[in-house]
Amino acid sequence: MNYEKEEFFAPGHGMCAGCAAPIIVKWVLKLAGPNTIVVNATGCLEVATTAYPHTSWRVPWLHVAFENAAAAASGIEAAARAKGEKLNIIAFGGDGGTVDIGFQALSGMVERGHNVLYVLYDNEAYMNTGIQRSGATPWGAWTTTSKVGNANPIGKLQPKKPVARIIAAHNAKYVATANPAIFNDFKKKVEKALSYDGARFLHVISSCTTGWRHDPSKTVEIMKLASDTGIFPLWEVVDGDLENMRITYKPKKFKPVEEYLKPQGRFRHLLKNPEYVKKLQEQVDAWWAKYGHHYNP
Amino acid sequence: MKAMIRGNESIAYAFKLARVKVIPAYPITPSTLVPEKISEFLANGEMDAEFVPVESEHSAISAAIGASAHGVRVGTATASQGLALMHEVLFIASGMRLPIVMGIGNRALSAPINIWCDHQDMMSQRDTGWMQFYAESNQEGLDLGIMAFKIAEDERILLPAMVGIDAFVLTHTVEPVDIPEQKDVDDFLGEFVPHYVTLDPEKPATLGSFGFPEYFMEFKYGQWIAMERAKKVIDEVFEEFHNKFGRKYSKVTPEFLEDADIVLVTMGSMTSTTREFVKKLRKEGKKVGLLKLTTFRPFPKEELRALLKDVPVVAVVERNISFGFGGAVYAELAATFANESKKPKIIDFIVGLGGRDITFKTLNEVVGIAEKALKEDVDEVNWIDVNKEAVLKAEGLL
């Protein structure tokens, strides 16, 4: 059954104009169809779509708290097993609820092999509380807790946590990074993730116009640049086989990282110093030098 | 069937007999034997359920919420630090009106780390919106475990419930227990019907949504009403259980109360010791009574007022402490009588923290101070069996 014409995520919610998360959710649900239960970690998506007595969710939806979406999903899946049901159980969490505070519950869920698809919409900081740094914030990004000043001209001093690789290393059934701006690849991966049984994890980049500080009309453009500059590589791993990671997307010609940084206020300070831009470019080049041979469209 | 079982097994049998469908649990001393016993039931094909061996107590209660929201009967067990780790999620289970039942092996909280009995763990969850029952024996643990499901799932209530069994004194101690027949428990509980909105793709609903100030208080008032209504439903279920199984339960159980000058209020296993002590005092001609508190949430104010209003001195003997005030039971009992014209003098006794034995010597000291209180003023809060001199020296006061 093809549900691409049906909406399971209703408009009228309070997500910001230009936020990528609703694009991700809308398409995951279209591809999953109505036989689905959603679990949502605390975060923008939960807050802005379920202001009682309204809801944007046309599938059953549960929110418990910030750090336990994966645990709540584990419980639903156990109940579904007890009832002999077959349905999609999909958890959505931001980078805070997934990479940091919710990491333990996620690790447990994946290790136990629950039949759940966990979708991380990664906007690279705690945006719901107002742009604080997370484990998923990239090196050099300004946030309200990695501020830029005379003593720290860089912003966040640590690199992004490679959460998808870590989850893949749990021997999860299927792990992929995805980008809704590279739509065909994104769609294929959602479909593929839905086709498997077991613990599945999609790490989806999700621009936040207020946190990344860009014009709301530029969301898709900027997210596309994330993969076209190589800073957010798109790959997949089945059964934890990281040796055989498959890079699914590579631009014909990589754009310089600077093009990704330029339209985003969070990186403005880096552009003042070519050394910083160079350092970030080197990080990207190093990743591709190490893993580029995995490209296999 | 009579069997010699430990308190933890009482909880496991209650879950088995209640045909619990999902048990997410994380081991912690002294309640570890609950998931172990469940695992044994499952391995032997004696139970049809899903055990979720979660990676923490936080995830145990979170998974319990997920499973309960999907419309099945759920039980779990923990103690002490594990219960404290669940704290934020306990509010969510009750706020979402999910009738989860949890066995607690009542144990002290760190620091210093201590695995033995007191009631600090459950008392610290007083305001989470869970009903609280304290068992005196393993039989009570099993019976209250079964009854907790019936009370929690009643469509007038829909609140989660905890059943406390004292660390080691009950959890690890073998006692003779009458394990009811499956058929009788099936009759008593009936088929599980979730009287609440579940996660059903046929009828999509949003559970756990965002409540703005204009709606929030109504949700809380609903929980308040449910907890108030639970008082009557608990009585009904206790009565029905008595009729079916022959064992009588009450929220508060008075013993030797007639003409008593002093009444000792107790909870959990210390009640058994206290009962023997009171019997001894009665033989000596001392007018001392006993009042066992089985239900702490909802707090049985009405029964306590009726039973204790004419008693000269009530001695609350309790295994918990709220620093800066006194014991939790003392505080609640004192508040229960705050607006009454006829009221007892209420004195607090902090005993048995971290598994310190509660003996006749302990109770003798309690009654000594209570007797003094018949004639003169005594301290409101009295710590018994403590090396006060050593502490006062360490604090630089001696």
Side-chain angles (χ1 to χ4, degrees), chain B residues 139 142-143 178-180 238 241-243 245-249:
Chain B
Q139 183 73 60
L142 173 55
D143 293 347
D178 187 0
I179 300 173
F238 282 180
F241 188 88
H242 180 220
N243 293 338
F245 298 98
R247 289 185 290 276
K248 198 166 164 44
Y249 286 85

Side-chain angles (χ1 to χ4, degrees), chain A residues 34 37 50-53 55 58-64 67-68 71-72 75-76 78-81 83 85 104-105 108 112 114, chain B residues 22 50 52-56 58-59 62-63 65-67 70 88 92 96 199-201 204-210 212 215 219:
Chain A
I37 294 175
T50 67
Y52 183 86
T55 183
R58 292 175 180 161
V59 290
W61 180 95
L62 173 72
H63 161 248
V64 182
E67 68 280 56
N68 57 4
I76 295 171
R81 238 183 306 141
K83 293 186 188 183
E85 288 173 344
Q104 174 183 314
R112 293 189 300 274
H114 288 279
Chain B
V22 174
E50 293 292 332
V52 188
V54 282
E55 80 299 328
S56 74
H58 195 284
S59 284
S62 303
I65 287 177
H70 197 36
E88 67 150 351
I92 298 166
M96 293 182 71
L199 298 166
D200 178 2
T206 291
L207 306 183
S209 56
F210 195 73
F212 279 86
Y215 294 104
F219 282 100

Side-chain angles (χ1 to χ4, degrees), chain A residues 71-202:
Chain A
S74 302
I76 295 171
E77 192 256 2
R81 238 183 306 141
K83 293 186 188 183
E85 288 173 344
K86 185 95 180 114
L87 39 72
N88 298 311
I89 298 165
I90 301 175
F92 288 104
D95 44 307
T98 305
V99 175
D100 292 343
I101 198 169
F103 185 74
Q104 174 183 314
L106 174 63
S107 173
M109 182 200 95
V110 176
E111 181 272 327
R112 293 189 300 274
H114 288 279
N115 190 18
V116 174
L117 167 58
Y118 193 107
V119 180
L120 156 63
Y121 69 99
D122 179 10
N123 53 28
E124 303 194 319
Y126 304 146
M127 298 312 189
N128 192 39
T129 43
I131 325 168
Q132 291 80 34
R133 61 90 84 194
S134 80
T137 304
W139 179 90
W142 166 93
T143 70
T144 60
T145 53
S146 59
K147 282 197 175 147
V148 175
N150 291 338
N152 176 8
I154 291 165
K156 194 192 174 200
L157 298 170
Q158 302 80 18
K160 187 177 175 72
K161 190 192 277 190
V163 68
R165 289 182 61 79
I166 297 168
I167 297 305
H170 285 64
N171 296 330
K173 183 65 212 172
Y174 180 73
V175 173
T177 60
N179 183 340
I182 312 290
F183 188 74
N184 285 343
D185 184 73
F186 167 81
K187 187 174 170 233
K188 261 190 233 161
K189 283 169 173 168
V190 175
E191 284 170 336
K192 200 163 176 182
L194 287 164
S195 74
Y196 286 119
D197 281 338
R200 295 144 286 154
F201 183 75
L202 287 178

Side-chain angles (χ1 to χ4, degrees), chain A residues 236-250:
Chain A
E236 66 180 15
V237 167
V238 181
D239 289 327
D241 187 7
L242 280 156
E243 303 291 313
N244 290 305
M245 169 173 101
R246 190 171 80 92
I247 294 176
T248 56
Y249 176 84
K250 198 161 120 179

